[in-house]
Amino acid sequence: MKRYTGWIWITAVLLFLGNVGYSQQFDIKTHQLKNGMKILILEDHSIPNVALYFFHRVGSRNEHTGITGLSHFFEHMMFNGAKKYGPGMFDRIMEDNGGSNNAYTSEDLTVYQDWFPTASLPLIFDLEADRTSALSFDPKMVESERGVVANERRLSVENNNEDLLREQLMAAAFTAHPYHWPVLGWMVDIENWKREDLINYFKTYYAPNNCEMVIVGDIQTEKVIELAQQYLEPIPAQEPPRPVTTREPEQQGERRVFVHKFAQLPLLQVAYHAPAAVDSDFIPLSVLDYILLRGESSRLYQRLVDKEQVAVSVEGGQSEHIDPYIFEVDVQPRSGVEVERVEKILYEELEKTQKSLVSEKELQKAKNTAVADFYRSMKTINGKANVLGVYDVVFGDYHKLFKEVDLINQVTREDLQRVAQKYFPARNRTVAILVPDPAPGRGK
């Protein structure tokens, strides 16, 4: 995807933010425009710049058969011109005034990010209001961008063994919930979206009452509210989107998928259904994530890569989502090592967390690592804007940000054993294996 930036790191950031002294540094102001757009404002005068984020509550979770990939499509289209500022002008004007921008789409959100000098604040508001209120649906531009996202899918999924396998893993793990859809969408849907599909989708999901603005930087709260009222408040609200009510039914047994494709080595991806971000199990499972997967001293790296030397790499974990998602482990076996052997060792390590308590030293180390991650991530105005927005939208309330440390301090070794027993049974597991085919023309 054109402008994707990952945000898995935020889990770590949020877990350990919360001591009273630190929270007092965040004098966050809130305001709601008459059209329903919520605004979070944090003055930070450390540098003369601004980070401006728009969190639209729309991702692949809101799509359905026939229109998968539309959220990601609009990640692109929002840079292709509107009524006042035509094609290419958004980026060009932004850069001419010392700014830059990006965007990302996930299962739950589509987020637009602007970074710019404080003096450009009125201009950036004008640019954002123009594309939000009067985005162009020029048929030639729509077809051009359709080709761009189709090509992106070919390159990043169909010609990428790891992402292709993961797409099949998710499709097998979720049979009812729309997390089944790939964020980029199925190719057949990309090829068949109708212009009216785009217009209706944009009208519903990019309305101001389905969006939250977060601004952090060298600003004055009163001036921000004044500009928001001038540029954004006139954009009319729309009927609220239909809520996502589907819940994935409890998995009743292990699922397995195999992908046969040319590759040098096999791949192994394992997913367990895991809690939503608001679930009380999310924090202890995140701590267990650190013990199992974070860094070269983690249990799975030590066993699979260092000691047994059956894998080149191991990574994964859980990430924050509005609805229950997955805890994932991806392993790249070494050349000549059978996937079955890697799987056996992986399950042995997970079983240890179910049968025995982790040590106090491991637990404390996990907390220390996450705290370090947090302070690194929150050093910038960009990091603060992203954390505030994700927490308010995905976790339901940014105030929870300042309570997490109390919750993490309550996590015990028994809690980690309990969540391991709850989420790591084989019946809750989906396994995807890439089986290497010989090079084209070489035969077997």
Side-chain angles (χ1 to χ4, degrees), residues 90-121:
F90 189 95
D91 284 344
R92 189 163 60 247
I93 292 173
M94 179 81 70
E95 291 170 5
D96 286 347
N97 285 274
S100 61
N101 58 72
N102 208 329
Y104 66 78
T105 309
S106 72
E107 292 82 1
D108 295 327
L109 300 169
T110 306
V111 182
Y112 297 90
Q113 311 150 299
D114 302 321
W115 306 280
F116 51 89
T118 303
S120 301
L121 193 59

Side-chain angles (χ1 to χ4, degrees), residues 27-288:
D27 184 16
I28 299 161
K29 306 296 185 185
T30 63
H31 182 81
Q32 184 147 6
L33 299 178
K34 292 178 182 177
N35 57 18
M37 181 183 289
K38 182 179 180 180
I39 300 175
L40 300 183
I41 305 167
L42 175 60
E43 294 187 21
D44 181 335
H45 303 287
S46 55
I47 58 172
N49 279 276
V50 179
L52 177 62
Y53 275 58
F54 289 87
F55 289 83
H56 294 269
R57 296 183 181 85
V58 59
S60 56
R61 173 178 177 270
N62 303 95
E63 297 165 358
H64 57 76
T65 53
I67 63 163
T68 64
L70 271 191
S71 307
H72 170 249
F73 179 73
F74 278 108
E75 177 194 320
H76 288 242
M77 279 296 290
M78 290 286 274
F79 295 90
N80 286 330
K83 183 178 180 179
K84 182 175 180 180
Y85 300 102
M89 292 182 69
F90 189 95
D91 284 344
R92 189 163 60 247
I93 292 173
M94 179 81 70
E95 291 170 5
D96 286 347
N97 285 274
S100 61
N101 58 72
N102 208 329
Y104 66 78
T105 309
S106 72
E107 292 82 1
D108 295 327
L109 300 169
T110 306
V111 182
Y112 297 90
Q113 311 150 299
D114 302 321
W115 306 280
F116 51 89
T118 303
S120 301
L121 193 59
L123 174 63
I124 304 305
F125 267 92
D126 193 29
L127 284 166
E128 290 290 358
D130 183 47
R131 67 177 180 175
T132 303
S133 63
L135 185 69
S136 172
F137 288 89
D138 177 75
K140 291 183 179 178
M141 186 59 75
V142 168
E143 290 311 306
S144 174
E145 205 59 48
R146 188 198 303 271
V148 170
V149 296
N151 194 49
E152 180 179 341
R153 184 188 155 80
R154 291 187 191 97
L155 292 173
S156 63
V157 179
E158 293 164 14
N159 291 322
N160 182 312
N161 289 345
E162 184 177 348
D163 286 354
L164 179 65
L165 187 67
R166 190 173 192 277
E167 186 175 86
Q168 295 301 309
L169 176 79
M170 298 302 292
F174 290 97
T175 59
H177 191 277
Y179 286 154
H180 175 91
W181 318 127
V183 172
L184 290 182
W186 301 114
M187 182 62 87
V188 67
D189 289 344
I190 295 172
E191 293 170 343
N192 286 284
W193 300 323
K194 301 295 186 291
R195 188 167 177 270
E196 52 269 29
D197 293 330
L198 310 182
I199 293 172
N200 291 334
Y201 197 79
F202 183 81
K203 181 179 179 181
T204 300
Y205 290 104
Y206 291 80
N209 49 311
N210 199 46
C211 178
E212 188 162 322
M213 187 188 96
V214 181
I215 184 167
V216 179
D218 187 22
I219 51 175
Q220 301 297 324
T221 298
E222 295 76 13
K223 183 62 176 177
V224 168
I225 294 174
E226 177 187 321
L227 290 171
Q229 290 171 332
Q230 177 183 348
Y231 289 100
L232 301 175
E233 198 162 65
I235 303 171
Q238 302 295 328
E239 287 294 321
R242 186 173 61 182
V244 177
T245 56
T246 302
R247 293 291 179 269
E248 183 68 19
E250 183 179 352
Q251 190 165 327
Q252 300 298 324
E254 184 188 83
R255 301 169 187 159
R256 282 183 175 263
V257 294
F258 295 89
V259 173
H260 294 260
K261 197 168 182 291
F262 169 68
Q264 299 294 329
L265 295 171
L267 284 172
L268 171 66
Q269 297 178 346
V270 180
Y272 295 88
H273 287 285
V278 297
D279 194 294
S280 59
D281 284 345
F282 185 82
I283 289 176
L285 195 58
S286 294
V287 175
L288 191 54

